[in-house]
Amino acid sequence: MTPKEVLALCREKDVKAIDLRFMDFPGLWQHFTIPVQNLEEDTFEEGLGFDGSSIRGWQAINESDMLVVPQPETALLDPFTKLPTLVMICNIQDPLTREDYSRDPRNIARKGVNYLKTTGIADTCFVGPEAEFFIFDDVRFDAGVNEAYYHVDSIEGQWNRGRVESPNLGYKLRYKEGYFPCPPADQMMDIRNEMAQTMIDCGLRVEAQHHEVASGGQSEIDLKFAPLVEMADDLLLYKYIVKNVARRYNKTVTFMPKPLYSDNGTGMHTHMSFWKDGEPLFAGSGYAGMSETAMHAIGGVLRHAPSVLAFTNCTTNSYKRLVPGYEAPVNLAYSRRNRSASVRIPMYSPSPKAKRFEFRCPDPSCNPYLAFTALMMAAVDGIQNKIDPGDSLDKDIYDLPPEELAQIPKTPGTLEESLMALQEDHEFLLKGDVFTKDVIDTWISYKMENEVNQLKLRPHPYEFCMYYDI
């Protein structure tokens, strides 16, 4: 869609407001809205000013002026606003130099794709995330000087089997048995259908929707793979739709990786493949029908996984999910079909176009622009340096003898460990000026100061259970 076509669409649909959206540094969509009459063809070139110092991880107060530049190809009608509103995703620029802003996550993803092209390896990186989430009926939480607590609830939760609901109709999903039951056990069918249909109406390509493993409303809606920047855009719209449809039903959604103790957490298994001149590069005659290029890409992902996790698993809560026994792989190995490996090669189809690897560690708390780009850069480094992924592991990793299991590298156990890994291993991200040193340093310092250290300072409620009577 061109600027002229956007303006024509506004007239055709009697649009009254233009909602301009962009991604902050940690990973939340931000927006402000202008009257439709303030959108002109020149706006797509000149942009609109805003205060960058108020956005997390961005400019200092003395250099706060920045520009949002609307991208016409991202235009869509908002399905939730009462007033007819057109949404557009924006790039961020410096108003003096008109250079794209180095800490704009979308700019980093765009630079990553351009760098991939300059390497000659491929011209397209396709990404297919499987984002999971929980639909809850009620959530309460707080953390003060003298108290800290959380409470989440779901009509489906096994913990509500004995609750007085006048009437309680049963059909409470047992822990770890939420995968694929039919209604009425699956009580989220209508909500997920509306979420999926709203996505389709907004131009997203939905493949499937289903209940996930955990009790208490865990769900998944899968999108068809798309080029990296487009998929990151789509994932933000996906989360926006999921949260707002849930609100229509007076429910709430979280993409927090581990909201429930002792049940499965929320992941975002991420599929990736490289193509060139319309042809897939990962199909071949090697292991699991993969090419040498694909195996080197997997080698790069396994080599750099600890630092990549600083972006793909970027919350302290992420590492409550990355523990053995909950389908979240903590062992850095690859395999075909085997879901206990951190890198899996799906075997659903023999078609060369279906050949890809699946990185099973990520979760949807991430900033998708940064997460997808970091994963892609690790794969590119593996190809450039012909990194051998080692031998495949085609048996259940969790059943291995301790001495054999000890030989397999592990994912970091905390966000702090991932950030330290990123501090030591980030040269592969700096290639092509995709991630700058400023971005790496700011990411590490922001996460340490605002998340890691903040959690360290506070007593945990369970510590009272363990230690109060000492």
Side-chain angles (χ1 to χ4, degrees):
M1 191 175 292
T2 66
K4 287 184 183 296
E5 290 170 333
V6 170
L7 295 174
L9 179 64
C10 290
R11 292 190 293 270
E12 177 189 347
K13 299 297 183 181
D14 196 25
V15 167
K16 302 297 185 183
I18 305 296
D19 203 48
L20 303 171
R21 299 189 183 175
F22 57 93
M23 191 66 147
D24 71 6
F25 201 50
L28 283 178
W29 231 3
Q30 309 291 326
H31 81 128
F32 66 91
T33 310
I34 62 173
V36 68
Q37 56 266 32
N38 290 355
L39 180 70
E40 302 174 347
E41 201 166 339
D42 289 347
T43 309
F44 293 90
E45 288 293 330
E46 297 175 1
L48 294 164
F50 74 104
D51 177 8
S53 68
S54 297
I55 305 301
R56 297 181 300 170
W58 277 14
Q59 296 287 73
I61 192 69
N62 62 315
E63 49 186 16
S64 59
D65 291 349
M66 304 195 77
L67 294 176
V68 293
V69 183
Q71 301 303 296
E73 68 275 11
T74 68
L76 63 96
L77 294 172
D78 193 305
F80 301 106
T81 54
K82 290 183 180 179
L83 193 71
T85 301
L86 187 86
V87 174
M88 281 188 288
I89 297 174
C90 301
N91 293 335
I92 308 300
Q93 289 185 351
D94 184 289
L96 299 181
T97 66
R98 296 309 303 260
E99 291 181 354
D100 292 325
Y101 183 43
S102 64
R103 294 188 205 170
D104 172 17
R106 194 171 193 267
N107 178 40
I108 293 169
R110 290 162 55 226
K111 287 193 295 181
V113 171
N114 290 334
Y115 171 69
L116 176 65
K117 295 175 182 177
T118 67
T119 66
I121 292 171
D123 53 37
T124 307
C125 173
F126 282 115
V127 181
E130 301 174 9
E132 300 168 353
F133 51 92
F134 276 89
I135 304 171
F136 289 130
D137 293 289
D138 186 54
V139 56
R140 290 175 282 120
F141 53 89
D142 203 357
V145 173
N146 67 320
E147 65 177 3
Y149 68 91
Y150 70 89
H151 175 86
V152 296
D153 205 2
S154 166
I155 191 69
E156 285 187 348
Q158 178 179 317
W159 58 86
N160 282 325
R161 288 187 298 192
R163 185 172 68 175
V164 176
E165 295 179 352
S166 302
N168 187 325
L169 301 178
Y171 298 114
K172 309 300 185 186
L173 294 175
R174 289 177 288 273
Y175 298 126
K176 299 193 179 186
E177 293 189 22
Y179 198 62
F180 282 18
C182 288
D186 176 3
Q187 299 183 46
M188 304 297 154
M189 178 69 169
D190 288 338
I191 299 178
R192 290 197 311 273
N193 271 341
E194 185 171 331
M195 290 171 175
Q197 188 57 51
T198 305
M199 291 178 190
I200 293 168
D201 294 343
C202 289
L204 301 186
R205 297 187 296 170
V206 174
E207 288 195 324
Q209 61 90 349
H210 60 84
H211 204 288
E212 255 299 340
V213 174
S215 180
Q218 192 181 35
S219 299
E220 179 178 322
I221 302 175
D222 295 331
L223 300 180
K224 186 176 178 62
F225 66 87
L228 189 150
V229 176
E230 179 184 333
M231 179 51 73
D233 290 343
D234 288 351
L235 190 58
L236 300 185
L237 179 58
Y238 172 111
K239 296 175 80 169
Y240 178 73
I241 290 170
V242 164
K243 291 177 179 179
N244 281 281
V245 169
R247 187 168 182 176
R248 282 178 176 171
Y249 285 80
N250 202 30
K251 295 182 184 290
T252 180
V253 159
T254 182
F255 289 89
M256 186 175 171
K258 190 74 170 181
L260 297 180
Y261 167 68
S262 199
D263 208 346
N264 282 47
T266 289
M268 189 179 71
H269 307 148
T270 301
H271 299 250
M272 183 169 283
S273 63
F274 290 173
W275 291 52
K276 187 174 184 179
D277 298 327
E279 295 296 325
L281 300 180
F282 282 2
S285 57
Y287 175 81
M290 299 288 270
S291 66
E292 185 178 48
T293 296
M295 299 312 294
H296 288 151
I298 291 172
V301 170
L302 293 175
R303 169 79 60 84
H304 298 297
S307 57
V308 169
L309 261 64
F311 293 107
T312 62
N313 302 73
C314 64
T315 69
T316 58
N317 186 253
S318 297
Y319 298 84
K320 303 291 196 303
R321 168 182 166 263
L322 286 180
V323 294
Y326 295 91
E327 294 190 10
V330 296
N331 298 288
L332 295 174
Y334 74 95
S335 174
R336 60 186 174 191
R337 304 181 68 183
N338 189 348
R339 282 174 164 78
S340 64
S342 59
V343 175
R344 185 178 75 96
I345 301 169
M347 300 299 291
Y348 297 123
S349 171
S351 169
K353 295 181 178 180
K355 286 301 176 186
R356 73 245 189 221
F357 67 79
E358 175 195 26
F359 190 43
R360 293 180 61 80
C361 295
D363 66 60
S365 69
C366 69
N367 183 325
Y369 296 113
L370 304 183
F372 297 159
T373 305
L375 183 60
M376 183 199 73
M377 294 295 285
V380 168
D381 188 68
I383 295 168
Q384 290 174 326
N385 292 291
K386 302 185 183 303
I387 298 175
D388 186 350
D391 296 330
S392 63
L393 202 56
D394 295 323
K395 47 191 172 183
D396 190 343
I397 297 173
Y398 301 132
D399 285 341
L400 291 178
E403 60 274 11
E404 191 174 346
L405 185 62
Q407 301 303 312
I408 301 173
K410 305 293 190 293
T411 58
T414 65
L415 176 59
E416 184 173 12
E417 289 179 24
S418 291
L419 293 171
M420 293 305 97
L422 178 62
Q423 183 73 65
E424 297 298 319
D425 175 31
H426 59 256
E427 290 299 321
F428 70 101
L429 297 171
L430 302 179
K431 293 179 180 178
D433 201 37
V434 175
F435 287 79
T436 62
K437 192 66 166 59
D438 170 64
V439 165
I440 300 293
D441 291 343
T442 303
W443 183 261
I444 292 171
S445 63
Y446 181 90
K447 287 288 177 178
M448 286 296 298
E449 292 171 13
N450 295 282
E451 298 178 33
V452 173
N453 291 340
Q454 291 302 314
L455 192 64
K456 283 181 177 181
L457 289 170
R458 287 162 170 78
H460 190 285
Y462 195 65
E463 289 178 313
F464 284 80
C465 300
M466 294 190 292
Y467 304 131
Y468 185 77
D469 59 349
I470 288 177

